[in-house]
């Protein structure tokens, strides 16, 4: 746990990594790019997500230090507990932590969670992707997060979207690691 904290060896390293990375005309992110994104550049988007993560970690750590909840509680359980507590408590600390879950970082439109490129109908999604790529000055988007049905790297939208999650977790998906 300490190694993954913001002060720990791995936590520090992870906090330095981008949520969204642009290299020339290629964008890389975990989930995808939602049409709900309003930032004008990948840099602005990444900065916003990092600020939201930093605020969440700060609020979470303050809450955990003052509560009786074990720090190792899984994120999904903590999120559910905080939502319940926020309804029952007048604590400013609980409300502050609860508010963090309304940020882009945790929403379905986050580049971490968005799956529209993988699952939405091309009629709708291709226009969205083309507009976002154009706004960010890119021609290709590379994503993970959604295991491809064939367990092979898959493209959509005239090779504008590359889906890289080939299900390499053999126990869960029976896929293989893939190199593009």
């Amino acid at each position: 746990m300490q190694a993954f904290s913001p002060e720990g060896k791995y936590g520090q390293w992870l906090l330095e990594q981008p949520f969204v990375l642009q290299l020339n005309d290629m964008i890389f992110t975990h989930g995808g790019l939602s049409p709900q994104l309003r930032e004008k550049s990948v840099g602005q988007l990444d900065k916003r997500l990092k600020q939201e993560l930093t605020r969440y970690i700060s609020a979470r750590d303050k809450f955990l230090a003052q509560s009786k909840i074990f720090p190792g509680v899984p994120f999904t359980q903590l999120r559910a507990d905080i939502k319940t507590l926020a309804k029952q408590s007048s604590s400013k600390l609980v409300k502050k932590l609860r508010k963090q879950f309304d940020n882009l970082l945790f929403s379905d439109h986050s580049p971490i969670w968005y799956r529209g490129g993988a699952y939405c109908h091309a009629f709708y999604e291709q226009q969205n992707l083309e507009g976002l790529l154009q706004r960010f000055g890119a021609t290709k988007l590379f994503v993970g997060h959604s295991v491809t049905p064939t367990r092979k790297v898959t493209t959509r939208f005239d090779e504008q979207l590359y889906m890289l999650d080939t299900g390499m977790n053999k126990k869960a998906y029976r896929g293989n690691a893939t190199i593009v």
Side-chain angles (χ1 to χ4, degrees):
M1 295 270 319
Q2 180 59 35
F4 281 98
S5 75
E7 297 80 29
K9 178 180 178 180
Y10 302 115
Q12 283 182 10
W13 179 82
L14 284 168
L15 288 171
E16 292 171 2
Q17 304 312 306
F19 282 95
V20 185
L21 175 68
Q22 184 165 0
L23 297 172
N24 301 319
D25 69 336
M26 301 175 291
I27 297 175
F28 298 83
T29 194
H30 181 71
L33 297 177
S34 163
Q36 303 296 322
L37 299 176
R38 301 291 177 235
E39 286 73 15
K40 303 236 186 271
S41 73
V42 167
Q44 289 175 341
L45 177 59
D46 191 60
K47 181 178 179 181
R48 175 182 176 184
L49 293 167
K50 284 186 177 190
Q51 288 171 340
E52 289 179 1
L53 178 61
T54 301
R55 282 194 303 269
Y56 163 74
I57 290 171
S58 174
R60 181 206 61 193
D61 289 352
K62 286 177 186 169
F63 171 76
L64 291 174
Q66 294 180 14
S67 73
K68 295 182 179 173
I69 296 177
F70 175 67
V73 68
F75 171 77
T76 52
Q77 183 62 50
L78 177 62
R79 185 175 183 176
D81 291 347
I82 293 300
K83 286 182 177 185
T84 301
L85 281 172
K87 291 176 186 174
Q88 303 167 353
S89 172
S90 61
S91 164
K92 288 181 182 179
L93 189 57
V94 170
K95 302 237 183 260
K96 184 177 181 179
L97 181 55
R98 167 61 187 93
K99 187 176 181 195
Q100 301 308 309
F101 295 118
D102 295 332
N103 288 331
L104 173 63
L105 178 66
F106 298 114
S107 82
D108 291 341
H109 299 288
S110 169
I112 304 305
W113 299 110
Y114 185 70
R115 293 182 179 200
Y119 296 129
C120 288
H121 193 281
F123 177 79
Y124 174 76
E125 192 64 25
Q126 187 164 6
Q127 287 180 322
N128 290 328
L129 180 61
E130 286 173 356
L132 285 160
L133 289 174
Q134 184 176 19
R135 180 170 8 130
F136 293 143
T139 61
K140 294 175 177 45
L141 173 64
F142 294 81
V143 300
H145 191 54
S146 301
V147 177
T148 63
T150 61
R151 306 299 189 263
K152 295 179 180 175
V153 172
T154 303
T155 63
R156 289 188 78 191
F157 316 126
D158 299 321
E159 296 187 355
Q160 289 178 304
L161 176 69
Y162 286 75
M163 299 174 6
L164 306 177
D165 192 338
T166 57
M168 68 184 246
N169 179 336
K170 284 191 181 284
K171 187 174 182 179
Y173 302 110
R174 297 184 296 274
N176 294 297
T178 305
I179 298 174
V180 180

